[in-house]
Amino acid sequence: MSADRSMAPVILLDGVRKSYGDVIAVDALSLRVQRGELFGVIGPDGAGKTTLFRIVTSLVIPDEGRAEVLGLDPVRDYRALRRLVGYMPGRFALYQDLSVAENLAFYAGVFGTTVSAGMRIIEPIWRQLAPFADRRAGALSGGMKQKLALCCALVHAPGLLVLDEPTTGVDAVSRTEFWELLARLRDDGLSLLVSTPYMDEAGRCDRIALMQAGRVLALDTPEAMAASYPQPLLAVRGTDRLRLLAALRALPHAASVWPFGETLHYTDQRIGMPREQIVVELTQSLHANGMRDVVVTPIRAGVEDVFLRLANAA
């Protein structure tokens, strides 16, 4: 492989657009995914993630723009591209009545290879599935179904792995295990494109794109994106959350207030204002409104804070 080829992005999208009637699913979207990168597309349902991934994997033809995946045009070179990409759709798409071993053998055969030939790449995952080799795929737990689907997407040793919301509907322990498997694959040199609606999974990616209404709102590393939050951010905790939410949103310098678990995240409009001073002001104001049990704490922004700010400004 030449130096130029090895440095080329595995995915290059420039001004890609796709509509279904009056609905714009992907809107003039541009991004690059680098070789050996675990790239995450983060956004809620309806953001356009699945359409984007289907364009990348040659399953949907874009209306406009340029797409290049592994150096190939997904429209013109779709036959060659499909042999080089592993795709795991959002819904479990394997054969429910076939056993674990039969599903894996079938997908290996589709790609003209064998399970034994693909064992080098799937072996860490297969170790967990092997005790259930004779069990019907439909009888597996959610987490084990996802691991089987991952094995089937990897058995032909693809150059790019595309996973559409692979942890949706999976328990927290299985989610963690699955992301650890993806990190191991990335460390072994595989390029990965992953989507998720879970903002807390963003930190497991090398870079992320925040997506809403078919557009990329921001693209950077999770750390840099969180650090870009420009305004003072504070967590406010109190017993009467509904009353507290209304009181905070009524404050003259409130930029936004959003529920986050047991706390409310309060963003102040005054960029550069010392957060300690804002803590004092908020505490005094809330005490004056009869909420004596409130606790106000300065915090660092997370990816979800950034997403909410950008999505509501768009």
Side-chain angles (χ1 to χ4, degrees):
M1 181 180 291
S2 69
D4 288 343
R5 180 68 174 154
S6 65
M7 294 299 291
V10 290
I11 300 173
L12 171 62
L13 304 176
D14 184 12
V16 170
R17 179 184 175 94
K18 179 64 182 179
S19 298
Y20 299 99
D22 295 333
V23 177
I24 302 174
V26 175
D27 190 4
L29 188 147
S30 299
L31 62 80
R32 291 172 177 243
V33 176
Q34 302 301 327
R35 193 168 300 275
E37 184 173 37
L38 173 49
F39 190 97
V41 179
I42 319 295
D45 292 344
K49 304 186 301 295
T50 295
T51 297
L52 171 63
F53 280 32
R54 288 175 177 172
I55 290 172
V56 167
T57 53
S58 80
L59 300 177
V60 166
I61 298 174
D63 300 327
E64 300 176 16
R66 173 191 173 205
E68 186 177 294
V69 181
L70 295 171
L72 301 173
D73 183 319
V75 178
R76 184 185 64 240
D77 306 318
Y78 72 94
R79 290 183 183 275
L81 180 61
R82 290 179 184 179
R83 304 192 69 82
L84 301 175
V85 172
Y87 178 48
M88 184 171 160
R91 292 186 178 182
F92 185 68
L94 304 185
Y95 292 98
Q96 304 269 6
D97 291 332
L98 293 184
S99 70
V100 168
E102 288 168 341
N103 265 290
L104 188 56
F106 173 80
Y107 276 88
V110 166
F111 286 101
T113 186
T114 63
V115 174
S116 58
M119 192 57 66
R120 177 187 62 81
I121 189 168
I122 67 170
E123 193 272 337
I125 314 165
W126 178 249
R127 281 203 305 264
Q128 302 176 46
L129 285 167
F132 311 101
D134 296 327
R135 183 174 297 183
R136 286 189 308 106
L140 295 173
S141 67
M144 296 305 285
K145 283 182 177 178
Q146 296 303 76
K147 290 172 184 175
L148 174 57
L150 181 59
C151 271
C152 291
L154 286 169
V155 70
H156 62 297
L160 170 67
L161 181 62
V162 179
L163 306 104
D164 190 4
E165 298 192 359
T167 58
T168 298
V170 177
D171 65 88
V173 173
S174 296
R175 282 174 59 191
T176 299
E177 291 178 348
F178 197 88
W179 278 100
E180 289 172 351
L181 289 172
L182 298 188
R184 185 180 304 171
L185 292 169
R186 184 269 320 276
D187 292 343
D188 288 340
L190 184 63
S191 306
L192 298 99
L193 177 67
V194 187
S195 71
T196 178
Y198 302 125
M199 299 288 168
D200 62 311
E201 294 184 343
R204 295 182 175 273
C205 303
D206 298 319
R207 288 191 305 144
I208 57 173
L210 300 183
M211 193 169 179
Q212 171 78 344
R215 294 191 173 196
V216 171
L217 302 177
L219 194 159
D220 211 327
T221 66
E223 298 79 10
M225 195 172 289
S228 71
Y229 201 81
Q231 297 156 304
L233 181 65
L234 302 99
V236 185
R237 184 188 301 266
T239 303
D240 192 340
R241 295 179 74 241
L242 288 177
R243 185 182 173 200
L244 182 57
L245 179 65
L248 288 170
R249 286 179 172 171
L251 293 175
H253 299 297
S256 66
V257 187
W258 297 103
F260 273 70
E262 296 181 351
T263 67
L264 302 175
H265 283 199
Y266 169 89
T267 299
D268 199 274
Q269 295 174 351
R270 295 167 291 179
I271 298 174
M273 174 70 71
R275 297 189 300 173
E276 294 74 15
Q277 182 176 336
I278 300 173
V279 169
V280 173
E281 290 181 5
L282 287 185
T283 303
Q284 290 176 345
S285 176
L286 295 170
H287 282 183
N289 277 282
M291 288 170 277
R292 308 290 301 182
D293 65 340
V294 297
V295 177
V296 183
T297 309
I299 57 171
R300 297 181 61 183
V303 169
E304 189 166 359
D305 295 295
V306 176
F307 177 84
L308 286 171
R309 175 179 173 273
L310 294 174
N312 284 278

